[in-house]
Amino acid sequence: MKRIVILISGRGSNLKAILQSTKNGTLNTEVAAVISNQKNAQGLDIAKEFGVNAISFDHKDFESRQTFDHQLIATIDELKPDLVVLAGFMRLLTDEFVEHFEGKLINIHPSLLPSFPGLKTHEQALAKGVKWHGATVHFVSKEMDEGPIIVQGVVPVLPGDTPELLADRVLEIEHQIYVQAIKWYLDDQIRLEKGIVSVIPTAPQFFAINEKS
Ligand code: GRF
């Protein structure tokens, strides 16, 4: 059975969606560990509730970004994962880390990339007045919030939306698209050619809210 490692920094709602899908058989994988760079991340408790190995290293205990990433690489390598999943991991990774796991490192970003990279994406979307917003699962490349797009989920932006209301709507679709992307990966359905991801057999690589995977 293929193995995944999930990296988090906080709340862990995407983590929970992934672990629930593992438990109910949607995802056929062993979660080898959940690793957090925040010792008090709520997601660590979620991992424990699901009986998953929960590891934390506080990046503040390390001299530099490099030494932290070296420790992270060594820990992940020992777990021998087929896929490394960033699920709200709020830390920039070194080029060395990204190169080491290239092709098996994926992230979820709360916007329809390439629109609104970086932080405060819901605020950015409201400030621009876009009418559709959403989330993107992508392979991680050295440039932040770039990298080949695996799947996107769209939600409407409604009159009266606040960043919080919009974030909740986007989160619902995040949970669906992240599970779907991981499933395709585990089932060897993902093809990457010239920076473009396709799925074999062909399947829609976009979701709209309320559509289930
Ligand atoms: C999500 O919005 C994700 O897209 C972003 O960070 C947030 C993490 O939320 N990268 P959670 O910890 O999964 O609840």
Side-chain angles (χ1 to χ4, degrees), residues 151-154 173 176-177 180 204 206-209 211-213:
V151 58
Q152 292 187 304
V154 298
I173 207 137
Q176 296 177 31
I177 63 175
Q180 178 63 81
F206 55 87
F207 279 50
I209 199 135
E211 283 184 359
K212 297 280 177 216
S213 54

Side-chain angles (χ1 to χ4, degrees), residues 170-203:
V170 170
L171 205 55
E172 199 182 313
I173 207 137
E174 286 189 33
H175 298 161
Q176 296 177 31
I177 63 175
Y178 221 178
V179 169
Q180 178 63 81
I182 294 168
K183 186 169 168 54
W184 282 330
Y185 191 94
L186 295 170
D187 293 346
D188 285 327
Q189 285 184 257
I190 289 185
R191 300 290 173 270
L192 174 58
E193 209 176 324
K194 295 183 184 153
I196 306 294
V197 175
S198 52
V199 172
I200 308 290
T202 305

Side-chain angles (χ1 to χ4, degrees), residues 14 35 39 42 49 62 88 99 105-106 109 119 128 132 137 170 175-176 183-184 199:
N14 278 286
I35 304 177
K39 289 205 162 111
Q42 268 175 272
E49 275 165 36
F62 292 80
E99 264 169 32
L105 178 63
I106 62 174
H109 181 78
L119 298 173
K128 285 288 179 200
W132 291 103
V137 179
V170 170
H175 298 161
Q176 296 177 31
K183 186 169 168 54
W184 282 330
V199 172

Side-chain angles (χ1 to χ4, degrees), residues 10-15 87-90 107-110 171 174:
R11 176 178 56 185
S13 73
N14 278 286
L15 166 70
F89 188 68
M90 302 303 286
N107 181 46
I108 188 157
H109 181 78
L171 205 55
E174 286 189 33

